[in-house]
Amino acid sequence: MDDSTRDQVLAVAEELFDRDSLYKLAASVVEARKRKSLRFWQDEMLSELSKHAGVDVTSKLHFIEVFKGTADKYYTPPSPEEQAELDEAKGQLRDQVSEIGKTIRKIARGGEYIIPPGVPQEPLNDAAREIGFHVTFSLQELVESLLQHAEEDGHNKRNQHICCELICARHLGANVPLPKLIKLASDSVDSAIEYFDAGKTSLDGWYRPLSEGIFLCGYLDMNERMERLCQWATPRKKPGYESPLDSEIQELTLVTAGLFQGDFKPGFGRKLSRCSDSRKARVRLLANIVQAIVDEDQDAFHVSTQKAVQNYRKRRAPDPNLALLSECLPVHINTAYYAGLCRGMSRCDFPDNIAAYLYRPMSTET
């Protein structure tokens, strides 16, 4: 690509996108060099740019040619107030990670919690046995530690993650007191709703409070809170959580939220269609569950959920020293499954080897 064409494309990009989006795109060149393909959000932006510029820049090679070395040009330094807020948030995150690490190490080291030291315990129930989940620490001790941490933290959206861990522990056979779980989940979802109402998502991101909030509302049948939580989502929201997590999973979380907004907006439908065409099986299969809910197709809901779990079962067995219990079960599939039940789908009768991966909603636990 010659210099004049490159300048032309950059000029169109500057008219089409805001500075923050341009900086994110330009700064991702370094990562793009190491990957075999572009990410979903990069594909989406470059397709729109190609359409307006009249030049195809959707390939990885053309993307790098156009945007290499431009990140500094689009970088906007944060204001002193924003930088102070960001530093404070980073400090709080470091402190939380440190405390969780100390708790887990304490549990793992305690001789009374390892029976015998280093040897996995027997699974606590059939679901744990079916998914091959063994631990070398006391699951019940972890539950008590999480409850204590949540009570000390008080009314906070970050407690949503603790609630998800407690639901996982309950599914695997631990004794999690339901009244405490309901109260904790209710408070944390309310805190997440307040967080969205305050418009602070640019700092901490939207993905975790929205996805975990939908999961909790579905598990505990909090239908009114589900609708209130999901009102924040729009088709124009961009993935806001940088991690190995697929950007398309975040897109599908927005689409799932769109199911609880009355009329299903066309923009959500377009996002769902793009995810259905993803090159990644895990994304396509999750999109099929959401599509079945949109179509109100019970048979497709049953089949797509089972296929998504079957694909998930191809993963390696969970680590016996797993720190995050939710990593041993398909949280995204369960969230979509709950959303379907909340939208009127019937609970499916799955074989034991599939049902073991799906949490029972609180109202149907036996």
Side-chain angles (χ1 to χ4, degrees), residues 240-312:
Y241 181 66
E242 294 294 338
S243 81
L245 181 74
D246 296 317
S247 295
E248 295 97 328
I249 298 295
Q250 299 189 51
E251 299 282 341
L252 285 171
T253 299
L254 288 175
V255 175
T256 303
L259 294 169
F260 297 93
Q261 296 183 358
D263 294 334
F264 191 65
K265 298 180 178 64
F268 287 128
R270 288 191 290 272
K271 281 186 180 293
L272 178 55
S273 179
R274 286 195 296 270
C275 291
S276 297
D277 293 334
S278 172
R279 294 184 291 259
K280 301 165 185 171
R282 59 185 174 275
V283 174
R284 290 197 308 275
L285 293 169
L286 189 65
N288 289 344
I289 301 175
V290 181
Q291 186 66 63
I293 301 170
V294 174
D295 296 339
E296 300 181 358
D297 188 331
Q298 177 65 40
D299 290 340
F301 179 65
H302 187 154
V303 171
S304 58
T305 302
Q306 181 158 330
K307 285 185 176 180
V309 174
Q310 286 170 336
N311 181 71
Y312 182 87

Side-chain angles (χ1 to χ4, degrees), residues 9 11 13 18 66 93 110 133 237 262 298 307:
V9 174
D18 58 56
V66 172
L93 180 61
F133 181 80
K237 299 295 182 184
Q298 177 65 40
K307 285 185 176 180

Side-chain angles (χ1 to χ4, degrees), residues 164-236:
C164 293
E165 289 288 281
L166 290 171
I167 291 170
C168 183
R170 183 179 173 87
H171 178 74
L172 295 171
N175 178 25
V176 179
L178 198 55
K180 284 188 177 181
L181 177 58
I182 293 173
K183 176 65 167 62
L184 182 59
S186 178
D187 288 347
S188 65
V189 170
D190 284 345
S191 186
I193 292 171
E194 293 168 7
Y195 168 76
F196 285 122
D197 286 346
K200 296 180 180 178
T201 57
S202 59
L203 179 62
D204 292 336
W206 57 263
Y207 172 69
R208 289 192 63 173
L210 182 62
S211 62
E212 292 177 348
I214 291 173
F215 179 85
L216 294 176
C217 289
Y219 177 78
L220 295 168
D221 295 322
M222 297 190 291
N223 296 329
E224 291 184 6
R225 285 186 176 89
M226 176 82 87
E227 292 181 5
R228 184 68 189 85
L229 176 76
C230 292
Q231 290 308 306
W232 170 87
T234 69
R236 296 183 62 84

Side-chain angles (χ1 to χ4, degrees), residues 131-132 311-319 322 327-329 357:
I131 68 173
N311 181 71
Y312 182 87
R313 293 181 70 221
K314 296 176 183 177
R315 295 178 52 171
R316 288 182 300 177
D319 185 336
L322 205 60
E327 289 185 7
C328 75
L329 289 163
Y357 289 83

Side-chain angles (χ1 to χ4, degrees), residues 9 36 46 64 72 81 87 172 226 249 271 291 352:
V9 174
K36 293 181 180 179
L46 293 173
I64 294 173
D72 289 343
E81 294 79 13
D87 291 342
L172 295 171
M226 176 82 87
I249 298 295
K271 281 186 180 293
Q291 186 66 63
D352 290 344

Side-chain angles (χ1 to χ4, degrees), residues 112-127:
E112 64 272 29
Y113 306 143
I114 300 175
I115 316 171
V119 176
Q121 299 177 33
E122 284 297 312
L124 296 180
N125 62 13
D126 290 340

